[in-house]
Amino acid sequence: MSRQQLSLGVEAARKLAGTTKTEPRNRGVSPRWLLRVLPWEEAPGGVYRVNRRRTHTAPDGRVGCTTVDGTPRVIPATLTEVPLLRGLSDTDALRELAGAFAPREIEPGQVLTEPEFVLVVHGKLRRTRPGTYGESSELGRLADGDHHGADHLLTGEAPPEVLTALTHCTVLTLSRQAFQGVRARSRGLREHLAEHAARARLPRNRRGEADIGVSAGHHDETGLPGAFADYDPAPREYPLSVAQTVLRVHTRVDDLYNDPMNQFRQQLRLTVEALRERQERELVTNAGFGLLATADRDQRLHTRGGPPAPDDLDELLARRRKTRAILAHPKAIAAFDRECGHRGLHAETAELHGRAVRTWRGVPLLPCDKIPVSARGATSMLALRTGLADAGVIGLHQTGLPAEHEPGLNLRRMSTGSRAITEYLVSAYYSVAVLVPDALGVLTCVQVGR
């Protein structure tokens, strides 16, 4: 026996009632902490020039390697990343030097003490020297792409530092005898080394900058030294980069389906979110101006073990003043929490931009999923001092653009074609500049898999 219906049914009622809807959600949106913590400066001409004092010390970079028939080989052009060979234009000499490197396998615990140039292909080594009271004083670590001992090729003296393998290592070594043989055959290399020796005699401060002569502690009419602050003759310039896309909206959708939500605005909102995500990725990983690529080699540290430990972050913070933030992949932050737990430590929390974040020594640990994690589970952590007044890291953009939608981002209507589709060009202009090298530090070879 069927039951008599006493009121209007739900299905029938829904015919006259609208649904409660949310805005379209985007799974690819992240907090974008880098864009939040960077102070943004204007680049009205589209290019930002960073002027510094002149330096007499060549920057130190990473030497590239490749594998030929299972044997590691040096990429000749990348040898100019070594300060001793910076500016060497003799390609034949570079090719001959690259061919003089000999591969070598080193087991954990093995020690290197010979006066030779060592290039690390894979693995990690510890640099130590005898301390004041007979103990070993640790100076740092070397890992993939790092090198050591270039100056010993000229002097031939036994190095005061000792390299000890922490893991199984593959290295390439260049003996002084092989280097001197290439030097004897290459006129270009001999002339370059003579210029290098002349630059080494120029007065400089501990940072390698051209020295400003100052006299102090005198009581009589001692002649005072003349001085001036020399400038870098070729300062680094940062042109604004661009991320663009073409947003397409059918006129019928834009005309008829805008209640209760405007379709064009929702399409534009999601598109801008994607552009901002790409912008942050470029600020981190771009090969030309990204933070990972432009960090100074002296500001790159390696972990003592594998995962990031409190000691590693302490050393990273000690390299600079006023560190404002540490950016790390969420997996790296989780690995750091595990290391703290093993030591009975606890990372405190603080509020930043209305959100609770972890801190270490009062410095926020901010997640950034744009920092890559390699297939071997290795990543990096970035320590930043920010701001123009503190000679830190700054973001670059230009406001007041034609058809500006957000600061540094504009929206231009292009056309409506025969298919009734309207196209809009959405463009974001940006870059990032490191004003002095110690404003940015990188903790590399951070293991997150164990």
Side-chain angles (χ1 to χ4, degrees):
M1 181 177 181
S2 62
R3 187 174 180 180
Q4 183 180 3
Q5 184 174 339
L6 301 178
S7 64
L8 182 66
V10 172
E11 293 298 325
R14 290 184 61 183
K15 305 297 184 182
L16 302 182
T19 59
T20 302
K21 294 175 280 294
T22 69
E23 292 184 341
R25 300 300 177 182
N26 191 348
R27 296 175 60 185
V29 173
S30 67
R32 298 196 293 272
W33 279 111
L34 179 59
L35 301 187
R36 292 169 178 260
V37 300
L38 279 182
W40 291 89
E41 300 292 336
E42 289 286 338
V47 178
Y48 193 89
R49 177 180 296 165
V50 177
N51 287 311
R52 296 176 180 171
R53 283 175 57 184
R54 185 168 189 164
T55 59
H56 295 320
T57 302
D60 201 351
R62 290 175 175 266
V63 178
C65 299
T66 186
T67 302
V68 179
D69 297 330
T71 303
R73 300 293 184 189
V74 177
I75 301 175
T78 63
L79 283 174
T80 56
E81 294 295 325
V82 181
L84 180 64
L85 303 176
R86 175 74 69 174
L88 177 60
S89 58
D90 190 335
T91 56
D92 292 335
L94 291 172
R95 192 178 301 110
E96 193 171 355
L97 285 172
F101 279 84
R104 184 175 174 184
E105 300 292 328
I106 304 175
E107 297 301 324
Q110 189 172 345
V111 177
L112 297 177
T113 57
E114 297 85 355
E116 57 187 3
F117 180 77
V118 178
L119 170 62
V120 183
V121 181
H122 297 298
K124 184 181 294 187
L125 299 98
R126 180 175 59 230
R127 296 169 50 215
T128 59
R129 69 166 56 189
T132 305
Y133 301 100
E135 79 287 359
S136 294
S137 178
E138 184 170 340
L139 303 177
R141 291 153 296 281
L142 303 176
D144 302 3
D146 290 335
H147 50 83
H148 176 74
D151 292 338
H152 305 319
L153 298 175
L154 297 177
T155 63
E157 299 175 356
E161 302 176 6
V162 176
L163 300 182
T164 305
L166 297 175
T167 64
H168 177 83
C169 300
T170 301
V171 300
L172 291 167
T173 60
L174 176 64
S175 66
R176 184 171 186 269
Q177 181 179 2
F179 177 79
Q180 294 298 337
V182 177
R183 179 181 184 177
R185 293 187 295 271
S186 173
R187 179 180 176 181
L189 179 58
R190 291 194 301 272
E191 293 177 349
H192 172 81
L193 294 176
E195 295 175 359
H196 175 81
R199 289 194 300 269
R201 291 190 292 268
L202 295 173
R204 65 192 71 183
N205 62 17
R206 63 188 181 91
R207 298 292 187 183
E209 297 171 328
D211 198 22
I212 298 176
V214 177
S215 179
H218 51 277
H219 299 284
D220 52 11
E221 297 180 355
T222 303
L224 299 179
F228 68 97
D230 201 0
Y231 301 141
D232 186 350
R236 173 74 184 268
E237 293 185 346
Y238 294 86
L240 292 183
S241 184
V242 62
Q244 293 178 306
T245 189
V246 176
L247 172 61
R248 298 185 177 95
V249 180
H250 199 286
T251 55
R252 179 172 56 186
V253 172
D254 198 16
D255 291 340
L256 302 179
Y257 301 99
N258 285 322
D259 187 25
M261 298 180 190
N262 185 286
Q263 293 284 353
F264 172 71
R265 290 178 182 175
Q266 296 301 323
Q267 288 285 304
L268 179 60
R269 179 179 63 83
L270 296 174
T271 302
V272 170
E273 291 278 6
L275 277 176
R276 293 304 191 192
E277 291 289 326
R278 182 56 181 268
Q279 175 181 345
E280 185 177 60
R281 184 177 299 278
E282 290 292 303
L283 295 181
V284 173
T285 62
N286 186 278
F289 60 85
L291 296 178
L292 288 175
T294 58
D296 190 82
R297 185 173 180 267
D298 289 339
Q299 298 297 325
R300 295 180 183 270
L301 306 176
H302 301 286
T303 57
R304 285 172 166 78
D311 296 340
D312 299 319
L313 262 64
D314 285 343
E315 186 175 357
L316 185 65
L317 294 175
R319 291 295 185 99
R320 70 200 39 78
R321 55 185 172 84
K322 295 184 178 180
T323 302
R324 300 298 187 190
I326 296 177
L327 292 174
H329 194 280
K331 292 183 178 179
I333 296 179
F336 176 72
D337 285 341
R338 289 194 295 270
E339 291 299 306
C340 288
H342 294 161
R343 301 189 183 195
L345 302 175
H346 176 69
E348 298 181 351
T349 60
E351 185 174 322
L352 183 65
H353 295 284
R355 301 189 182 187
V357 297
R358 293 179 179 83
T359 65
W360 181 252
R361 308 296 188 191
V363 179
L365 294 172
L366 304 178
C368 178
D369 61 355
K370 312 305 186 301
I371 300 176
V373 178
S374 70
R376 295 186 295 171
T379 183
S380 301
M381 302 177 76
L382 305 175
L384 291 82
R385 179 179 71 246
T386 59
L388 194 62
D390 291 325
V393 182
I394 59 174
L396 303 175
H397 67 179
Q398 184 180 141
T399 59
L401 297 170
E404 186 173 64
H405 177 68
E406 292 180 0
L409 183 147
N410 66 347
L411 172 69
R412 291 176 177 270
R413 178 168 177 167
M414 298 172 64
S415 63
T416 302
S418 59
R419 297 186 179 183
I421 295 177
T422 304
E423 295 185 338
Y424 300 85
L425 178 63
V426 191
S427 307
Y429 299 94
Y430 55 86
S431 189
V432 62
V434 182
L435 300 185
V436 294
D438 71 347
L440 171 65
V442 181
L443 182 65
T444 64
C445 298
V446 175
Q447 293 293 325
V448 299
R450 75 180 193 193

